[in-house]
Amino acid sequence: MSKINKSVWPGYVGCLLAVMYAVIVRFYQAAGGTIGLPGKLANPEGFQMASYIAGVAVMLAGFFLLGLVKPWGKTVPHWVPLIGGRSIHPLLFLVPTLIGSAFVTAHGVSGVITKILHMAGAITIHFPGWSVIDIHGLIVWDLLFYEPWFIVMGILASLAAWNYAYDFQMLRPFLQRCGILYICFVILITALFVIAIIFDILKF
């Protein structure tokens, strides 16, 4: 493994944004907070539990990003019994990060596309799970806050994974080729998300 200077800010910023989103949004809503919820939920208890689980998952994902910029993402800490000091295969961090960032990015981009189409009158999105809902308010929240967060997190995770992979000499020859394939994969997943949303609309 080569010793080079690299930018580690995507991993740190991604972790910070993940923890902030988990605490300020998901745990807040799990505790009964209503900011960002333009309406009344049909099952608030179920939503609160789902928000708590989502918050835990997002926070864990944020700390996972630290593994891309911290030494313990390449070598198991010595204090870990039996396996301390052993090298970690880079794919153990790269594969989950790249798959996760692809789906997170596609989720955000497809959400923006379909919400804009809804506001333009091209499609009509249905929002189950609400007893009372301000659809315009919900879409504004999505377009200005939730979907951009998904997109930014996906980009940061991808950049952090790229920098992590560049630290391994054996992976450098594949980076450019894999980068192009990865972008194509994200575009494909985004298109499938949009098609799935539109198909679901057509069933109503």
Side-chain angles (χ1 to χ4, degrees), residues 169-186:
Q169 186 71 37
M170 64 178 179
L171 294 178
R172 292 187 193 177
F174 304 99
L175 284 180
Q176 183 175 1
R177 182 188 308 171
C178 291
I180 296 173
L181 291 175
Y182 178 74
I183 293 173
C184 292
F185 177 68
V186 173

Side-chain angles (χ1 to χ4, degrees), residues 1-3 6 8 66-77 85-90 93 163-168:
M1 190 188 309
S2 63
K3 302 293 184 181
K6 69 172 186 177
V8 296
L66 286 182
L68 301 174
V69 297
K70 289 290 190 179
W72 51 265
K74 301 180 180 68
T75 305
V76 180
R86 293 188 180 183
S87 296
I88 297 175
H89 197 286
F93 272 89
N163 289 332
Y164 175 83
Y166 195 79
D167 256 0
F168 295 86

Side-chain angles (χ1 to χ4, degrees), residues 112 137-149:
V112 170
L138 185 148
I139 290 178
V140 169
W141 268 101
D142 279 354
L143 289 178
L144 296 183
F145 181 74
Y146 293 111
E147 307 299 7
W149 180 86

Side-chain angles (χ1 to χ4, degrees), residues 17-164:
L17 289 180
V19 172
M20 290 177 62
Y21 180 82
V23 173
I24 298 175
V25 178
R26 289 306 180 183
F27 292 157
Y28 162 77
Q29 293 177 348
T34 58
I35 296 177
L37 300 177
K40 293 183 179 180
L41 292 158
N43 182 14
E45 293 80 11
F47 175 81
Q48 289 168 9
M49 177 57 67
S51 290
Y52 176 76
I53 295 173
V56 172
V58 169
M59 184 170 287
L60 290 176
F63 286 118
F64 190 84
L65 289 182
L66 286 182
L68 301 174
V69 297
K70 289 290 190 179
W72 51 265
K74 301 180 180 68
T75 305
V76 180
H78 290 282
W79 53 264
V80 177
L82 301 179
I83 60 173
R86 293 188 180 183
S87 296
I88 297 175
H89 197 286
L91 294 183
L92 292 177
F93 272 89
L94 285 176
V95 172
T97 301
L98 290 175
I99 292 176
S101 62
F103 277 88
V104 166
T105 304
H107 180 288
V109 174
S110 62
V112 170
I113 292 173
T114 52
K115 298 302 190 316
I116 290 176
L117 289 175
H118 178 94
M119 294 188 72
I123 62 175
T124 300
I125 302 176
H126 303 278
F127 300 93
W130 298 84
S131 57
V132 178
I133 183 174
D134 174 8
I135 293 179
H136 182 268
L138 185 148
I139 290 178
V140 169
W141 268 101
D142 279 354
L143 289 178
L144 296 183
F145 181 74
Y146 293 111
E147 307 299 7
W149 180 86
F150 280 105
I151 295 171
V152 170
M153 281 300 301
I155 294 173
L156 289 173
S158 299
L159 291 175
W162 178 279
N163 289 332
Y164 175 83

